Amino acid sequence: MKILHTSDWHLGKVFHEKSMLEDQACMLNQIFNLLKEADDKGAAYQALVVSGDIYDRAMPPSEAVTLLNSFLVRLTKELPNLHVFMNSGNHDSSSRLAYAAEFLELHNIHICTNTKNFTSPVILGDEEKVAFYQLPFLNPLSISQDSDSSEAESHPLRSQQELYSSATGQILKAHKKNYGDMPCLLNAHLFAAGSSTASSERSNVGTAEQVDVSLFKDFTYGAFGHIHKFQACDKEKHLYYPGALLAYNFDDNPENGLLEVEISCQEGGAKASLHVKRLPLQPLHPISRIKAKMSQLIGSGADMEIIRENLNNYVQVILTDSVMPTEAFSTLKSVFPNLLSVTSQEGVRGGQSETIQERKAAILSNDPEKIFFQFMKDANGECEDEELFLKEKEIFVSEAAKSYGERGE
């Protein structure tokens, strides 16, 4: 049995004022093609698992809703036997994501946004069967203690550790009773203790919300979402984050992909064979960060290799000039069409007041050579091409002298 595991799509995300919908549509198209090609070859996937944060915010833009709808319609038309498992993450609105969930269930699209029936799995497979459980992102009081627990009434569950401890305990207890040693999978949206976070979700996670991975040791596979960086979060390597659909921060891991999980049920139970393989996806616009002087990116002295490598990318430029050049963003936008951010290296602005004094002194001197030198320094930073600088200076000084002569100065 094979499944594809992905998470944290964040449909409708705006990255540095740029809508990512076109990029997200490209990635969803690649996921569809992987599923369709496998089906055409007779090696079909039984399920696509999306582990939460389907949308980027509780009230997603209509275009994001349309994109998800189109994707699901395409799956049901072209791959009617495929099961799709989706749960709500902390970015999602449970009520909005749950819209038409009962109808979609009839088409093998299983959307989990509440904990009403979390101990009742979907059974996949014919001869080799797997029980598939889902949990949404758990908020305080969204899970109650097992009715057999002595603390059921006296201790309401609030922390993530308490909530998942109770939830997994109840699932595994019911599974053992109803399905014995049948392999069981869990789709959940949580912060597993010890996981390595990426910049794009650090503001949304904290150590107080971590969940001990030992709670999931008896699941055959844990399909997790919430952390944007691909990783296994346990030593036995059966609990995984596939990483976000796209990099949503310039500090994020730029590698994009999803996980192919193959489960052999022949041995049964916890001894079922598990093989996990990462499948790469190619973003429409990879992200990159360039650290350079202005003179390395524009003009005759520009490094054409840097420009070629980043021409299609979403780019952040960190300028290392002593002073931030005037209109740096608009100037660099003409070089990098998908430029999203220009910033200066830390401490660069420290010399700004000194530079203002230098600029005033050059202007008051009425010396064309000093004025030109200051202009070139402000625009491009320190000049590294001395020959080019001298030629440009000669032209400027000559033209300035003519201008001064015509005005009788």
Side-chain angles (χ1 to χ4, degrees):
M1 179 176 293
K2 291 193 306 178
I3 67 172
L4 278 184
H5 177 202
T6 176
S7 76
D8 295 87
W9 288 358
H10 289 275
L11 300 182
K13 176 77 173 180
V14 175
F15 180 44
H16 284 271
E17 300 183 14
K18 171 69 177 177
S19 170
M20 301 296 284
L21 278 169
E22 183 183 11
D23 302 78
Q24 292 166 335
C26 174
M27 301 298 267
L28 295 189
N29 188 57
Q30 291 179 60
I31 292 174
F32 173 82
N33 289 338
L34 280 170
L35 292 164
K36 187 68 168 65
E37 288 170 10
D39 188 71
D40 291 343
K41 293 176 181 178
Y45 292 95
Q46 278 69 49
L48 171 67
V49 183
V50 191
S51 300
D53 281 355
I54 313 301
Y55 294 119
D56 188 57
R57 53 185 185 268
M59 295 185 67
S62 60
E63 295 85 356
V65 177
T66 299
L67 176 58
L68 178 61
N69 177 69
S70 299
F71 179 71
L72 294 178
V73 168
R74 195 178 181 192
L75 288 180
T76 56
K77 283 184 176 180
E78 301 289 333
L79 300 164
N81 295 321
L82 177 75
H83 287 259
V84 179
F85 293 90
M86 305 174 75
N87 60 358
S88 54
N90 58 302
H91 279 250
D92 298 307
S93 163
S94 296
S95 59
R96 287 184 175 85
L97 191 61
Y99 176 74
E102 291 183 7
F103 173 78
L104 293 172
E105 187 80 25
L106 302 175
H107 297 273
N108 295 333
I109 299 173
H110 315 283
I111 299 178
C112 175
T113 62
N114 59 58
T115 57
K116 290 180 180 178
N117 301 301
F118 72 95
T119 59
S120 300
V122 174
I123 305 299
L124 296 183
D126 297 319
E127 295 180 3
E128 298 180 352
K129 298 181 183 296
V130 168
F132 211 108
Y133 297 88
Q134 296 202 93
L135 286 171
F137 180 77
L138 297 181
N139 294 302
L141 309 179
S142 58
I143 291 284
S144 300
Q145 288 278 12
D146 189 335
S147 58
D148 293 338
S149 170
S150 59
E151 298 182 344
E153 298 296 330
S154 62
H155 182 63
L157 305 178
R158 298 182 184 277
S159 73
Q160 291 278 287
Q161 178 69 20
E162 291 175 328
L163 291 162
Y164 280 99
S165 177
S166 179
T168 55
Q170 292 181 59
I171 289 173
L172 292 168
K173 178 181 176 182
H175 181 78
K176 187 69 175 178
K177 177 182 178 181
N178 298 321
Y179 303 103
D181 291 331
M182 182 187 296
C184 56
L185 283 68
L186 175 66
N187 183 27
H189 192 86
L190 53 87
F191 183 14
S195 300
S196 176
T197 62
S199 295
S200 55
E201 86 276 355
R202 279 178 193 148
S203 62
N204 299 312
V205 298
T207 56
E209 296 305 309
Q210 291 186 358
V211 180
D212 193 329
V213 295
S214 66
L215 297 178
F216 311 98
K217 62 183 178 62
D218 292 325
F219 288 93
T220 307
Y221 181 75
F224 292 167
H226 193 39
I227 303 301
H228 289 186
K229 189 175 181 180
F230 159 70
Q231 60 200 285
C233 47
D234 66 319
K235 293 180 180 179
E236 292 75 22
K237 294 189 176 181
H238 73 294
L239 310 172
Y240 276 88
Y241 288 106
L245 184 68
L246 289 164
Y248 292 123
N249 190 290
F250 285 108
D251 289 323
D252 280 2
N253 186 338
E255 295 181 3
N256 304 98
L258 64 168
L259 300 179
E260 177 186 275
V261 183
E262 189 167 0
I263 305 161
S264 174
C265 310
Q266 295 176 352
E267 297 178 38
K271 296 182 180 179
S273 174
L274 184 70
H275 182 259
V276 180
K277 179 172 69 174
R278 195 154 189 254
L279 303 179
L281 296 174
Q282 181 57 48
L284 187 62
H285 301 289
I287 68 168
S288 58
R289 174 178 280 160
I290 302 170
K291 191 175 182 179
K293 291 184 176 182
M294 194 74 160
S295 59
Q296 294 175 270
L297 304 176
I298 64 169
S300 57
D303 188 327
M304 297 309 297
E305 184 175 350
I306 292 178
I307 294 173
R308 280 193 298 269
E309 287 178 353
N310 296 279
L311 198 59
N312 183 54
N313 295 5
Y314 286 136
V315 174
Q316 179 184 59
V317 174
I318 301 177
L319 291 172
T320 60
D321 300 85
S322 57
V323 175
M324 175 70 85
T326 305
E327 297 184 353
F329 187 91
S330 59
T331 302
L332 290 169
K333 184 75 172 178
S334 66
V335 180
F336 302 105
N338 298 306
L339 179 70
L340 297 184
S341 169
V342 176
T343 185
S344 61
Q345 184 173 264
E346 187 177 356
V348 165
R349 295 184 181 272
Q352 193 163 10
S353 60
E354 181 182 345
T355 301
I356 291 173
Q357 297 302 319
E358 291 176 353
R359 192 178 300 154
K360 286 182 178 179
I363 293 170
L364 292 173
S365 73
N366 281 335
D367 184 334
E369 185 171 334
K370 288 182 179 179
I371 293 171
F372 176 74
F373 176 82
Q374 190 62 46
F375 169 77
M376 293 297 290
K377 183 178 179 182
D378 288 350
N380 301 319
E382 300 296 337
C383 182
E384 297 180 354
D385 189 334
E386 185 177 353
E387 183 178 352
L388 175 64
F389 174 76
L390 291 173
K391 286 181 180 178
E392 291 175 334
K393 184 187 76 171
E394 182 180 346
I395 295 170
F396 177 84
V397 172
S398 174
E399 293 299 317
K402 288 180 183 178
S403 176
Y404 289 152
E406 292 171 356
R407 285 158 35 195
E409 297 180 3

